[in-house]
Amino acid sequence: MTAPGRLTIKDVARAAGVHPATASRALDPRLPGRISAATTERVVRAAAALGYVVDPVGRSLRTKRSATVGVLVPDLLNPFYPPLLRGIERALRASGFEALIASTDNDVQREGELLDVLKGRRCDGYLVASATRRDPAVHHLVRGGSPVVLVNRLTGVAAPSVTSDDALGIRAAVEHLRDLGHTTIAHVTGPPRISVTATREKAFRAAVRAARLSPGPVVRAAEYTAAAGEKACGTLLDRSAVTAILAGNDMIAVGCYAAFDKRGIACPRDVSLVGINDMPLAEWLRPSLTTVAIPQEELGAAAARLIVTLIGDPATEVPDVSLPTTLVVRGSTAPAPRAAPPSA
Amino acid sequence: MTAPGRLTIKDVARAAGVHPATASRALDPRLPGRISAATTERVVRAAAALGYVVDPVGRSLRTKRSATVGVLVPDLLNPFYPPLLRGIERALRASGFEALIASTDNDVQREGELLDVLKGRRCDGYLVASATRRDPAVHHLVRGGSPVVLVNRLTGVAAPSVTSDDALGIRAAVEHLRDLGHTTIAHVTGPPRISVTATREKAFRAAVRAARLSPGPVVRAAEYTAAAGEKACGTLLDRSAVTAILAGNDMIAVGCYAAFDKRGIACPRDVSLVGINDMPLAEWLRPSLTTVAIPQEELGAAAARLIVTLIGDPATEVPDVSLPTTLVVRGSTAPAPRAAPPSA
DNA sequence: TTGAAAGCGCTAACAA
DNA sequence: TTGTTAGCGCTTTCAA
C-alpha cells in the first residue's frame, strides 16, 4: 500500500464531470438553489462514493475561518469544569467546530500567554470560563473585535455571557436550612477576584434576610479548593458555634468535611453543610453532599451555541443566558441540634 | 479602528528589505547557516517589531503539517483523565502543537466517529487513551500509517505505548496489607474489555502469591465507576467475610466506601481498602484513601513527547515507556481486626 | 546566500 | 446554472 494521497475537490469534480468550483458549490449546504438538483446529486454521490472530506486547511486559507473555538478554563483539575467542557465540546462539534482547550491554572499571566497562542491559531471565537474581575487579557481580546462569550465567570466587559442563576438555588438552600430549624447560617466564601464569589455572597445575604434569619459569620477561602476550604472552615469553627454552613462551592465543602473531622464534629448531626455545583463526586461523598446544582453541561452547550451564532454573524444581538439552579437535598443537611454544638 | 488585517510574511520581508522567501528562511530555526547572520538579524528584528506571528493555515497548506495532535480519552468525567490531559496539553504546547481533545464516553462507535472527525482535521498524530482490547478503529488508524501512541490502555496493535507499572505499586499494596496482619485480600476488578483490568488482576494474583497470602475472592465491576464499584463490592461483602480489599481504581474504591456505609462496616476498622490512581480527590475522601499512585501528568507528558518525536520522524524506533507507581498510605488501611468482621 | 516562481486545496468574484 | 480565474500565506524547489 502506497501513501493514500488524500482526495481533493478536483477528484470529486472529475468523477462527477464538473468543474471543481461547481463541485465545491454543490457540497455547500448554505447555497440553496444555486446549483441544479441534478448536478448537486451527482456531486454528492461522487463525494460519498470516493469518501471525500473537505480539507479544512485549504478552506481556512480561502475563507479566513478556522472552524475552531478557543476555550479557556481556570483549572482542569476542578471537577466543575470537565462537565462544562463536555457540553462545550459536544455542542461545538455538532456545529462543525473544534475546541482548542487551555487551562490557565488560575494564573492571569498564563491566561494572557495562552490567549496569544490561541490567537496565533486563528480561532474564530473564544469561550472564556477563566475570567477574573479585572482581566486585561480578556478585555483586550474583546476590544480587538474577537467574538467572545463569557462562561460562568464575568468580568467588566461588553461580551455576552452564560451564567447560572445561583441566587435561585441559594435561596432554596437557605430556606431548606431554616425549615430544618437552623437559625444562623455561616458562609465559607471564595476568593474576591472572581465574580461568582461576590454573586454568591450577595445572594446568600439576601436569602438570609428574606428568610428572616440572623446573618451568620462569613469567612473567606483563598481559593476554590478543598485545602483552602478546610483552612477557612477551621477558623470559622474555632471562632464561632455554628450549626449550618453554605460553602462557596463543592470543593470548599470537601474541605469543610475535613475540618469537621479534625474537630470531632459530626455532619449532619452537629453541623449541616450545603455546597454549590453538584460536581460529579458530590453524591459519593459521605455524607453525600446537599448542594446547589448548576447545570454544568447545559451551561457549556449554551455557551457553545452562542459563540457559534456570534461567529456566524458578529452583529447578532445575543442575549445573556442565565440557567436556573436547583437545590439537591442529600445527606449533609439535617435538623438543627437541640443543644449547643461542640464549640471551641 | 479598521480591521487590523493580520501581518504576513510579506510585511516582514518588506520591513527587512528582503524577499519573502528569505524572510521565511530567516525565521526558520531549523536552517543553521543557510542565511547570513546579518540578514537573519534584520528579519528577526523586523518580525519582533511588527509582532508578526506565522499563519498556521498558510504554513499547513504548504507543509502538509497541522501541528495538531488528536487526543482520545474514554471519559472526561473520570478524575483520572484531567491530570493526564494537563500533562499532554502542556507538553504538546511546549513543542508548538495543539491538542484536539475528544471524549469517547466509553463508546466504541463514538470513538470511531470522533477519530473520523479528527482525521478530517488532518492531525499529525494521535494519542489514544481510550483503547479497548479489541478496538478496530484504533487498529485501522495505526494500519493507515498515522503516528499513534497508546496511553495507559493497550490494544493488540503495533504502536508505542506509555503505561504505568501498576504491578510495582500493587505489590507494595499487598505487602502493606500483609504487614498490617491481613491474611486474605479481595479484589474488586473492572470490566474485562480494558487492558488494565487484566494487568491489575494478574499483578494482584502474583503479589498475593509472592506474599504467601491466600488468594481472596475477586469480583468484577461492570465499569470503572463508583456506582459499579458499589454494586460489585456489595455482592462481595454479602458473600464473604473480608478484611482487606484492593479496588480496581479509585472510583471503584469510592463505590466500596458507599457499600461499607450501607452495611454498617467501618473503614479502616473493619475493612481496609486500597485504590489505584491517586486521583485528585483521593486524599480528601474520608477516610482519606490509601492508593497506588499513578503519575498521571507525567504519563501524559511522556506520551506527548513520544508522539512529537514520532511525528518528526515516523521511522524513529521509540521504546515503550513504563512509569513507576508508588503506594501512598493514607487513612483507609489499618491493622486487621482481631475478631471476625461483621459478615452476612 | 538570496531571489523568483510555483503551488499546496479551496472558494469568491466575475464571466459566460 | 456553470466555468474560469485568481489568490488566500506560506515554504520549497530551482536558478542566479
Side-chain angles (χ1 to χ4, degrees), chain A residues 186-217:
Chain A
H187 182 33
V188 181
T189 182
R193 68 173 185 285
I194 294 163
S195 66
V196 293
T197 303
T199 308
R200 290 173 188 174
E201 184 175 341
K202 212 172 124 195
F204 166 74
R205 292 188 192 281
V208 165
R209 232 183 354 260
R212 304 186 170 283
L213 298 177
S214 62

PDB file of all heavy atoms in Angstrom, chain A residues 186-217:
ATOM      1  N   ALA A 186     -23.734  30.141  58.435  1.00  0.00           N
ATOM      2  CA  ALA A 186     -22.439  30.733  58.103  1.00  0.00           C
ATOM      3  C   ALA A 186     -22.144  30.506  56.624  1.00  0.00           C
ATOM      4  O   ALA A 186     -22.761  29.665  55.967  1.00  0.00           O
ATOM      5  CB  ALA A 186     -21.349  30.108  58.956  1.00  0.00           C
ATOM      6  N   HIS A 187     -21.192  31.252  56.099  1.00  0.00           N
ATOM      7  CA  HIS A 187     -20.854  31.128  54.681  1.00  0.00           C
ATOM      8  C   HIS A 187     -19.337  31.096  54.535  1.00  0.00           C
ATOM      9  O   HIS A 187     -18.644  31.985  55.015  1.00  0.00           O
ATOM     10  CB  HIS A 187     -21.445  32.320  53.920  1.00  0.00           C
ATOM     11  CG  HIS A 187     -21.212  32.283  52.439  1.00  0.00           C
ATOM     12  ND1 HIS A 187     -21.156  31.120  51.699  1.00  0.00           N
ATOM     13  CD2 HIS A 187     -21.047  33.286  51.527  1.00  0.00           C
ATOM     14  CE1 HIS A 187     -20.956  31.400  50.423  1.00  0.00           C
ATOM     15  NE2 HIS A 187     -20.879  32.712  50.294  1.00  0.00           N
ATOM     16  N   VAL A 188     -18.838  30.041  53.901  1.00  0.00           N
ATOM     17  CA  VAL A 188     -17.417  29.986  53.563  1.00  0.00           C
ATOM     18  C   VAL A 188     -17.307  30.368  52.100  1.00  0.00           C
ATOM     19  O   VAL A 188     -17.604  29.566  51.215  1.00  0.00           O
ATOM     20  CB  VAL A 188     -16.810  28.598  53.805  1.00  0.00           C
ATOM     21  CG1 VAL A 188     -15.323  28.612  53.452  1.00  0.00           C
ATOM     22  CG2 VAL A 188     -17.010  28.164  55.245  1.00  0.00           C
ATOM     23  N   THR A 189     -16.902  31.592  51.863  1.00  0.00           N
ATOM     24  CA  THR A 189     -16.907  32.122  50.505  1.00  0.00           C
ATOM     25  C   THR A 189     -15.550  31.907  49.833  1.00  0.00           C
ATOM     26  O   THR A 189     -14.618  31.385  50.441  1.00  0.00           O
ATOM     27  CB  THR A 189     -17.293  33.619  50.550  1.00  0.00           C
ATOM     28  OG1 THR A 189     -17.353  34.113  49.239  1.00  0.00           O
ATOM     29  CG2 THR A 189     -16.279  34.398  51.355  1.00  0.00           C
ATOM     30  N   GLY A 190     -15.446  32.297  48.582  1.00  0.00           N
ATOM     31  CA  GLY A 190     -14.206  32.087  47.827  1.00  0.00           C
ATOM     32  C   GLY A 190     -13.414  33.367  47.661  1.00  0.00           C
ATOM     33  O   GLY A 190     -13.694  34.369  48.305  1.00  0.00           O
ATOM     34  N   PRO A 191     -12.413  33.325  46.800  1.00  0.00           N
ATOM     35  CA  PRO A 191     -11.548  34.491  46.609  1.00  0.00           C
ATOM     36  C   PRO A 191     -12.318  35.633  45.935  1.00  0.00           C
ATOM     37  O   PRO A 191     -13.132  35.390  45.042  1.00  0.00           O
ATOM     38  CB  PRO A 191     -10.437  33.971  45.704  1.00  0.00           C
ATOM     39  CG  PRO A 191     -11.007  32.781  45.025  1.00  0.00           C
ATOM     40  CD  PRO A 191     -12.003  32.185  45.969  1.00  0.00           C
ATOM     41  N   PRO A 192     -12.050  36.858  46.318  1.00  0.00           N
ATOM     42  CA  PRO A 192     -12.822  38.006  45.828  1.00  0.00           C
ATOM     43  C   PRO A 192     -12.509  38.375  44.385  1.00  0.00           C
ATOM     44  O   PRO A 192     -13.271  39.115  43.774  1.00  0.00           O
ATOM     45  CB  PRO A 192     -12.407  39.130  46.777  1.00  0.00           C
ATOM     46  CG  PRO A 192     -11.073  38.732  47.288  1.00  0.00           C
ATOM     47  CD  PRO A 192     -11.037  37.246  47.306  1.00  0.00           C
ATOM     48  N   ARG A 193     -11.440  37.840  43.838  1.00  0.00           N
ATOM     49  CA  ARG A 193     -11.076  38.266  42.487  1.00  0.00           C
ATOM     50  C   ARG A 193     -11.981  37.644  41.418  1.00  0.00           C
ATOM     51  O   ARG A 193     -11.877  37.975  40.233  1.00  0.00           O
ATOM     52  CB  ARG A 193      -9.614  37.924  42.203  1.00  0.00           C
ATOM     53  CG  ARG A 193      -9.340  36.447  42.101  1.00  0.00           C
ATOM     54  CD  ARG A 193      -7.918  36.134  41.657  1.00  0.00           C
ATOM     55  NE  ARG A 193      -7.769  34.703  41.477  1.00  0.00           N
ATOM     56  CZ  ARG A 193      -7.666  33.842  42.466  1.00  0.00           C
ATOM     57  NH1 ARG A 193      -7.642  34.257  43.719  1.00  0.00           N
ATOM     58  NH2 ARG A 193      -7.573  32.547  42.226  1.00  0.00           N
ATOM     59  N   ILE A 194     -12.836  36.724  41.848  1.00  0.00           N
ATOM     60  CA  ILE A 194     -13.703  36.045  40.887  1.00  0.00           C
ATOM     61  C   ILE A 194     -15.141  36.490  41.090  1.00  0.00           C
ATOM     62  O   ILE A 194     -15.620  36.571  42.218  1.00  0.00           O
ATOM     63  CB  ILE A 194     -13.563  34.517  41.062  1.00  0.00           C
ATOM     64  CG1 ILE A 194     -12.140  34.106  40.665  1.00  0.00           C
ATOM     65  CG2 ILE A 194     -14.590  33.777  40.232  1.00  0.00           C
ATOM     66  CD1 ILE A 194     -11.743  32.750  41.169  1.00  0.00           C
ATOM     67  N   SER A 195     -15.825  36.744  39.988  1.00  0.00           N
ATOM     68  CA  SER A 195     -17.143  37.376  40.083  1.00  0.00           C
ATOM     69  C   SER A 195     -18.151  36.532  40.854  1.00  0.00           C
ATOM     70  O   SER A 195     -18.965  37.065  41.601  1.00  0.00           O
ATOM     71  CB  SER A 195     -17.681  37.666  38.682  1.00  0.00           C
ATOM     72  OG  SER A 195     -17.940  36.458  37.989  1.00  0.00           O
ATOM     73  N   VAL A 196     -18.120  35.225  40.676  1.00  0.00           N
ATOM     74  CA  VAL A 196     -19.149  34.403  41.317  1.00  0.00           C
ATOM     75  C   VAL A 196     -19.082  34.504  42.832  1.00  0.00           C
ATOM     76  O   VAL A 196     -20.087  34.315  43.514  1.00  0.00           O
ATOM     77  CB  VAL A 196     -19.043  32.913  40.918  1.00  0.00           C
ATOM     78  CG1 VAL A 196     -19.374  32.717  39.459  1.00  0.00           C
ATOM     79  CG2 VAL A 196     -17.693  32.338  41.254  1.00  0.00           C
ATOM     80  N   THR A 197     -17.907  34.777  43.350  1.00  0.00           N
ATOM     81  CA  THR A 197     -17.779  34.902  44.797  1.00  0.00           C
ATOM     82  C   THR A 197     -18.714  35.978  45.330  1.00  0.00           C
ATOM     83  O   THR A 197     -19.491  35.746  46.269  1.00  0.00           O
ATOM     84  CB  THR A 197     -16.328  35.242  45.166  1.00  0.00           C
ATOM     85  OG1 THR A 197     -15.466  34.232  44.635  1.00  0.00           O
ATOM     86  CG2 THR A 197     -16.163  35.320  46.680  1.00  0.00           C
ATOM     87  N   ALA A 198     -18.652  37.133  44.711  1.00  0.00           N
ATOM     88  CA  ALA A 198     -19.499  38.236  45.144  1.00  0.00           C
ATOM     89  C   ALA A 198     -20.970  37.927  44.893  1.00  0.00           C
ATOM     90  O   ALA A 198     -21.837  38.190  45.732  1.00  0.00           O
ATOM     91  CB  ALA A 198     -19.097  39.516  44.415  1.00  0.00           C
ATOM     92  N   THR A 199     -21.239  37.352  43.719  1.00  0.00           N
ATOM     93  CA  THR A 199     -22.619  36.994  43.380  1.00  0.00           C
ATOM     94  C   THR A 199     -23.225  36.095  44.456  1.00  0.00           C
ATOM     95  O   THR A 199     -24.334  36.322  44.930  1.00  0.00           O
ATOM     96  CB  THR A 199     -22.643  36.234  42.041  1.00  0.00           C
ATOM     97  OG1 THR A 199     -21.926  36.986  41.065  1.00  0.00           O
ATOM     98  CG2 THR A 199     -24.076  36.005  41.586  1.00  0.00           C
ATOM     99  N   ARG A 200     -22.462  35.099  44.828  1.00  0.00           N
ATOM    100  CA  ARG A 200     -22.991  34.136  45.792  1.00  0.00           C
ATOM    101  C   ARG A 200     -23.111  34.733  47.182  1.00  0.00           C
ATOM    102  O   ARG A 200     -24.074  34.464  47.900  1.00  0.00           O
ATOM    103  CB  ARG A 200     -22.100  32.884  45.806  1.00  0.00           C
ATOM    104  CG  ARG A 200     -22.248  32.084  44.529  1.00  0.00           C
ATOM    105  CD  ARG A 200     -21.272  30.932  44.401  1.00  0.00           C
ATOM    106  NE  ARG A 200     -21.393  30.367  43.050  1.00  0.00           N
ATOM    107  CZ  ARG A 200     -20.611  29.425  42.552  1.00  0.00           C
ATOM    108  NH1 ARG A 200     -19.622  28.916  43.288  1.00  0.00           N
ATOM    109  NH2 ARG A 200     -20.800  28.977  41.334  1.00  0.00           N
ATOM    110  N   GLU A 201     -22.130  35.528  47.556  1.00  0.00           N
ATOM    111  CA  GLU A 201     -22.195  36.128  48.882  1.00  0.00           C
ATOM    112  C   GLU A 201     -23.395  37.064  48.977  1.00  0.00           C
ATOM    113  O   GLU A 201     -24.135  37.059  49.966  1.00  0.00           O
ATOM    114  CB  GLU A 201     -20.899  36.890  49.187  1.00  0.00           C
ATOM    115  CG  GLU A 201     -20.878  37.446  50.604  1.00  0.00           C
ATOM    116  CD  GLU A 201     -19.549  38.095  50.962  1.00  0.00           C
ATOM    117  OE1 GLU A 201     -18.537  37.810  50.281  1.00  0.00           O
ATOM    118  OE2 GLU A 201     -19.533  38.883  51.928  1.00  0.00           O
ATOM    119  N   LYS A 202     -23.595  37.835  47.927  1.00  0.00           N
ATOM    120  CA  LYS A 202     -24.727  38.756  47.911  1.00  0.00           C
ATOM    121  C   LYS A 202     -26.041  37.964  47.981  1.00  0.00           C
ATOM    122  O   LYS A 202     -26.951  38.300  48.758  1.00  0.00           O
ATOM    123  CB  LYS A 202     -24.676  39.575  46.611  1.00  0.00           C
ATOM    124  CG  LYS A 202     -25.225  40.975  46.753  1.00  0.00           C
ATOM    125  CD  LYS A 202     -24.960  41.771  45.479  1.00  0.00           C
ATOM    126  CE  LYS A 202     -26.253  42.323  44.910  1.00  0.00           C
ATOM    127  NZ  LYS A 202     -26.111  42.796  43.531  1.00  0.00           N
ATOM    128  N   ALA A 203     -26.116  36.916  47.169  1.00  0.00           N
ATOM    129  CA  ALA A 203     -27.331  36.095  47.158  1.00  0.00           C
ATOM    130  C   ALA A 203     -27.552  35.466  48.521  1.00  0.00           C
ATOM    131  O   ALA A 203     -28.682  35.362  49.013  1.00  0.00           O
ATOM    132  CB  ALA A 203     -27.218  35.011  46.090  1.00  0.00           C
ATOM    133  N   PHE A 204     -26.475  35.047  49.147  1.00  0.00           N
ATOM    134  CA  PHE A 204     -26.571  34.447  50.480  1.00  0.00           C
ATOM    135  C   PHE A 204     -27.153  35.445  51.476  1.00  0.00           C
ATOM    136  O   PHE A 204     -28.101  35.142  52.207  1.00  0.00           O
ATOM    137  CB  PHE A 204     -25.181  33.987  50.926  1.00  0.00           C
ATOM    138  CG  PHE A 204     -25.077  33.672  52.389  1.00  0.00           C
ATOM    139  CD1 PHE A 204     -25.637  32.507  52.907  1.00  0.00           C
ATOM    140  CD2 PHE A 204     -24.422  34.539  53.255  1.00  0.00           C
ATOM    141  CE1 PHE A 204     -25.548  32.211  54.264  1.00  0.00           C
ATOM    142  CE2 PHE A 204     -24.322  34.256  54.606  1.00  0.00           C
ATOM    143  CZ  PHE A 204     -24.885  33.087  55.114  1.00  0.00           C
ATOM    144  N   ARG A 205     -26.598  36.651  51.476  1.00  0.00           N
ATOM    145  CA  ARG A 205     -27.079  37.664  52.432  1.00  0.00           C
ATOM    146  C   ARG A 205     -28.551  37.989  52.178  1.00  0.00           C
ATOM    147  O   ARG A 205     -29.350  38.108  53.116  1.00  0.00           O
ATOM    148  CB  ARG A 205     -26.227  38.927  52.326  1.00  0.00           C
ATOM    149  CG  ARG A 205     -24.798  38.735  52.821  1.00  0.00           C
ATOM    150  CD  ARG A 205     -24.045  40.068  52.876  1.00  0.00           C
ATOM    151  NE  ARG A 205     -22.621  39.877  53.078  1.00  0.00           N
ATOM    152  CZ  ARG A 205     -22.052  39.619  54.255  1.00  0.00           C
ATOM    153  NH1 ARG A 205     -22.798  39.503  55.345  1.00  0.00           N
ATOM    154  NH2 ARG A 205     -20.737  39.463  54.349  1.00  0.00           N
ATOM    155  N   ALA A 206     -28.881  38.124  50.921  1.00  0.00           N
ATOM    156  CA  ALA A 206     -30.271  38.449  50.587  1.00  0.00           C
ATOM    157  C   ALA A 206     -31.204  37.330  51.031  1.00  0.00           C
ATOM    158  O   ALA A 206     -32.280  37.578  51.585  1.00  0.00           O
ATOM    159  CB  ALA A 206     -30.397  38.687  49.083  1.00  0.00           C
ATOM    160  N   ALA A 207     -30.776  36.105  50.797  1.00  0.00           N
ATOM    161  CA  ALA A 207     -31.634  34.961  51.138  1.00  0.00           C
ATOM    162  C   ALA A 207     -31.814  34.858  52.640  1.00  0.00           C
ATOM    163  O   ALA A 207     -32.904  34.555  53.141  1.00  0.00           O
ATOM    164  CB  ALA A 207     -31.027  33.677  50.576  1.00  0.00           C
ATOM    165  N   VAL A 208     -30.754  35.103  53.371  1.00  0.00           N
ATOM    166  CA  VAL A 208     -30.833  35.044  54.832  1.00  0.00           C
ATOM    167  C   VAL A 208     -31.805  36.112  55.342  1.00  0.00           C
ATOM    168  O   VAL A 208     -32.644  35.849  56.210  1.00  0.00           O
ATOM    169  CB  VAL A 208     -29.435  35.247  55.460  1.00  0.00           C
ATOM    170  CG1 VAL A 208     -29.544  35.560  56.946  1.00  0.00           C
ATOM    171  CG2 VAL A 208     -28.567  34.010  55.239  1.00  0.00           C
ATOM    172  N   ARG A 209     -31.688  37.290  54.759  1.00  0.00           N
ATOM    173  CA  ARG A 209     -32.587  38.360  55.147  1.00  0.00           C
ATOM    174  C   ARG A 209     -34.030  37.977  54.830  1.00  0.00           C
ATOM    175  O   ARG A 209     -34.920  38.095  55.673  1.00  0.00           O
ATOM    176  CB  ARG A 209     -32.217  39.631  54.379  1.00  0.00           C
ATOM    177  CG  ARG A 209     -32.016  40.836  55.267  1.00  0.00           C
ATOM    178  CD  ARG A 209     -31.705  42.135  54.518  1.00  0.00           C
ATOM    179  NE  ARG A 209     -31.501  42.041  53.097  1.00  0.00           N
ATOM    180  CZ  ARG A 209     -30.298  42.012  52.518  1.00  0.00           C
ATOM    181  NH1 ARG A 209     -29.193  42.044  53.253  1.00  0.00           N
ATOM    182  NH2 ARG A 209     -30.192  41.961  51.217  1.00  0.00           N
ATOM    183  N   ALA A 210     -34.230  37.486  53.624  1.00  0.00           N
ATOM    184  CA  ALA A 210     -35.583  37.131  53.192  1.00  0.00           C
ATOM    185  C   ALA A 210     -36.175  36.040  54.083  1.00  0.00           C
ATOM    186  O   ALA A 210     -37.385  35.995  54.308  1.00  0.00           O
ATOM    187  CB  ALA A 210     -35.560  36.674  51.742  1.00  0.00           C
ATOM    188  N   ALA A 211     -35.308  35.170  54.568  1.00  0.00           N
ATOM    189  CA  ALA A 211     -35.798  34.072  55.415  1.00  0.00           C
ATOM    190  C   ALA A 211     -35.901  34.499  56.866  1.00  0.00           C
ATOM    191  O   ALA A 211     -36.235  33.687  57.734  1.00  0.00           O
ATOM    192  CB  ALA A 211     -34.867  32.858  55.277  1.00  0.00           C
ATOM    193  N   ARG A 212     -35.616  35.755  57.137  1.00  0.00           N
ATOM    194  CA  ARG A 212     -35.695  36.318  58.489  1.00  0.00           C
ATOM    195  C   ARG A 212     -34.807  35.560  59.472  1.00  0.00           C
ATOM    196  O   ARG A 212     -35.200  35.283  60.606  1.00  0.00           O
ATOM    197  CB  ARG A 212     -37.141  36.309  59.001  1.00  0.00           C
ATOM    198  CG  ARG A 212     -38.082  37.047  58.069  1.00  0.00           C
ATOM    199  CD  ARG A 212     -39.479  37.180  58.605  1.00  0.00           C
ATOM    200  NE  ARG A 212     -40.262  38.088  57.772  1.00  0.00           N
ATOM    201  CZ  ARG A 212     -40.140  39.425  57.822  1.00  0.00           C
ATOM    202  NH1 ARG A 212     -39.305  39.988  58.660  1.00  0.00           N
ATOM    203  NH2 ARG A 212     -40.860  40.185  57.033  1.00  0.00           N
ATOM    204  N   LEU A 213     -33.626  35.208  58.963  1.00  0.00           N
ATOM    205  CA  LEU A 213     -32.644  34.582  59.854  1.00  0.00           C
ATOM    206  C   LEU A 213     -31.599  35.630  60.213  1.00  0.00           C
ATOM    207  O   LEU A 213     -31.479  36.656  59.548  1.00  0.00           O
ATOM    208  CB  LEU A 213     -31.965  33.406  59.156  1.00  0.00           C
ATOM    209  CG  LEU A 213     -32.893  32.259  58.750  1.00  0.00           C
ATOM    210  CD1 LEU A 213     -32.121  31.190  58.010  1.00  0.00           C
ATOM    211  CD2 LEU A 213     -33.560  31.664  59.995  1.00  0.00           C
ATOM    212  N   SER A 214     -30.851  35.343  61.256  1.00  0.00           N
ATOM    213  CA  SER A 214     -29.791  36.279  61.594  1.00  0.00           C
ATOM    214  C   SER A 214     -28.587  35.965  60.720  1.00  0.00           C
ATOM    215  O   SER A 214     -28.255  34.804  60.500  1.00  0.00           O
ATOM    216  CB  SER A 214     -29.426  36.168  63.073  1.00  0.00           C
ATOM    217  OG  SER A 214     -28.948  34.873  63.352  1.00  0.00           O
ATOM    218  N   PRO A 215     -27.973  37.001  60.178  1.00  0.00           N
ATOM    219  CA  PRO A 215     -26.806  36.772  59.317  1.00  0.00           C
ATOM    220  C   PRO A 215     -25.678  36.142  60.113  1.00  0.00           C
ATOM    221  O   PRO A 215     -25.308  36.639  61.182  1.00  0.00           O
ATOM    222  CB  PRO A 215     -26.443  38.180  58.835  1.00  0.00           C
ATOM    223  CG  PRO A 215     -27.061  39.109  59.823  1.00  0.00           C
ATOM    224  CD  PRO A 215     -28.242  38.424  60.421  1.00  0.00           C
ATOM    225  N   GLY A 216     -25.139  35.057  59.610  1.00  0.00           N
ATOM    226  CA  GLY A 216     -24.065  34.372  60.310  1.00  0.00           C
ATOM    227  C   GLY A 216     -22.710  34.879  59.865  1.00  0.00           C
ATOM    228  O   GLY A 216     -22.609  35.750  59.002  1.00  0.00           O
ATOM    229  N   PRO A 217     -21.663  34.321  60.436  1.00  0.00           N
ATOM    230  CA  PRO A 217     -20.315  34.742  60.062  1.00  0.00           C
ATOM    231  C   PRO A 217     -19.979  34.332  58.632  1.00  0.00           C
ATOM    232  O   PRO A 217     -20.445  33.311  58.151  1.00  0.00           O
ATOM    233  CB  PRO A 217     -19.422  34.002  61.068  1.00  0.00           C
ATOM    234  CG  PRO A 217     -20.242  32.876  61.583  1.00  0.00           C
ATOM    235  CD  PRO A 217     -21.675  33.301  61.491  1.00  0.00           C
TER     236      PRO A 217
END
